[in-house]
Amino acid sequence: MNERLDALPEEKRKNILSAALTEFAEHGYTNASTNRIVKAAGISKGLLFHYFENKRKLFLYVLDHTINQLMQKLSAYTTDLSGDFFEQIGQYALIKMRIGIEEPEMYHILYDVYVNLPKNIKDDLMQRYGQILSDSRKDFVKTMDTSRLREGVTAETAINLIVDFLDGYYQRNIDYYKTKTPDELLEYINDMMDDIMGYLNIIKRGLYKDES
């Protein structure tokens, strides 16, 4: 929340947010220019720093807005997930791709957070948004048919295994992602999802009881 900014007329506030969103989406955090932002928003640089002490705080404000908007969309799209837990994971991933196509600037900002953001800021973001990640895991635990799990395997263990696999998968491919623009990555993501689902099916066979 930014009380100074919230006190502005809605149109001016939207202009500042839109200009900053576009700048961070096109140039990333490191290369974003506050000079370009104030020019696009039609305000002075002094006024921008009256509302935000520095570029980092402006970026965090834009990121808060981005995550709130995307979480609302994600919540609306995921009300009709069907099938077992692993099928829902696949549907969830496809929904995230769809949102990325619908909201390219927001997707570009999250892409930059994952691929290019300095580590010290990433660590701050994990503290800032760690609860959101934790809550999303709990939501998926609720969808799992625990009666199908092998003896000794809990829903939490299964979720942690899958999240660790996905994190490892993305880390293994991070150098490839860096050679692609966000738009090129969206075109590749269908093949990536087929690859991920293949691994998830292997994990599924390991976690679920034999049904033969």
Side-chain angles (χ1 to χ4, degrees):
M1 183 176 180
N2 187 314
E3 294 181 356
R4 289 180 177 178
L5 190 67
D6 291 341
L8 282 175
E10 183 177 1
E11 183 176 356
K12 179 170 283 190
R13 186 172 67 250
K14 285 183 176 180
N15 286 344
I16 294 172
L17 178 60
S18 177
L21 181 64
T22 298
E23 179 66 19
F24 286 124
E26 291 183 357
H27 300 282
Y29 172 79
T30 301
N31 296 317
S33 166
T34 53
N35 289 329
R36 287 192 293 259
I37 291 173
V38 297
K39 182 178 180 180
I43 61 173
S44 69
K45 198 167 186 178
L47 193 58
L48 179 69
F49 287 119
H50 171 72
Y51 300 124
F52 306 96
E53 294 177 15
N54 49 48
K55 185 172 78 169
R56 181 179 178 278
K57 289 190 175 181
L58 173 59
F59 178 76
L60 290 175
Y61 181 86
V62 171
L63 190 59
D64 280 341
H65 168 78
T66 297
I67 289 178
N68 287 334
Q69 291 296 308
L70 294 181
M71 290 300 291
Q72 288 179 24
K73 278 182 169 285
L74 198 57
S75 177
Y77 284 142
T78 54
T79 55
D80 297 322
L81 294 182
S82 60
D84 73 7
F85 169 76
F86 288 90
E87 290 168 335
Q88 290 192 30
I89 286 285
Q91 293 168 34
Y92 182 84
L94 289 172
I95 288 169
K96 290 177 72 173
M97 288 192 295
R98 174 181 174 184
I99 294 174
I101 293 171
E102 291 178 352
E103 301 288 350
E105 287 190 334
M106 293 184 182
Y107 167 76
H108 287 199
I109 287 175
L110 294 183
Y111 171 91
D112 184 63
V113 167
Y114 185 74
V115 174
N116 298 315
L117 205 61
K119 185 179 184 304
N120 64 319
I121 299 180
K122 277 189 179 181
D123 291 341
D124 288 346
L125 293 181
M126 283 306 298
Q127 293 181 1
R128 194 179 183 93
Y129 301 112
Q131 188 60 47
I132 294 176
L133 296 175
S134 176
D135 290 344
S136 66
R137 291 190 186 191
K138 291 177 182 178
D139 288 341
F140 270 117
V141 167
K142 295 175 185 177
T143 70
M144 179 179 283
D145 181 0
T146 56
S147 67
R148 299 182 64 185
L149 292 173
R150 293 181 184 274
E151 184 178 354
V153 178
T154 66
E156 289 77 12
T157 299
I159 290 288
N160 289 336
L161 174 63
I162 292 167
V163 170
D164 287 345
F165 154 69
L166 291 173
D167 285 345
Y169 181 93
Y170 293 134
Q171 287 298 324
R172 189 184 72 187
N173 289 281
I174 191 82
D175 289 337
Y176 176 78
Y177 301 159
K178 289 181 178 179
T179 68
K180 302 294 181 182
T181 67
D183 294 323
E184 288 172 338
L185 193 57
L186 277 176
E187 295 178 4
Y188 163 76
I189 211 163
N190 283 326
D191 292 335
M192 185 174 71
M193 279 311 306
D194 288 341
D195 195 26
I196 288 174
M197 288 308 300
Y199 286 112
L200 285 177
N201 283 328
I202 294 173
I203 295 173
K204 176 180 178 178
R205 290 196 292 271
L207 294 176
Y208 279 0
K209 300 172 185 175
D210 292 329
E211 297 182 348
S212 55

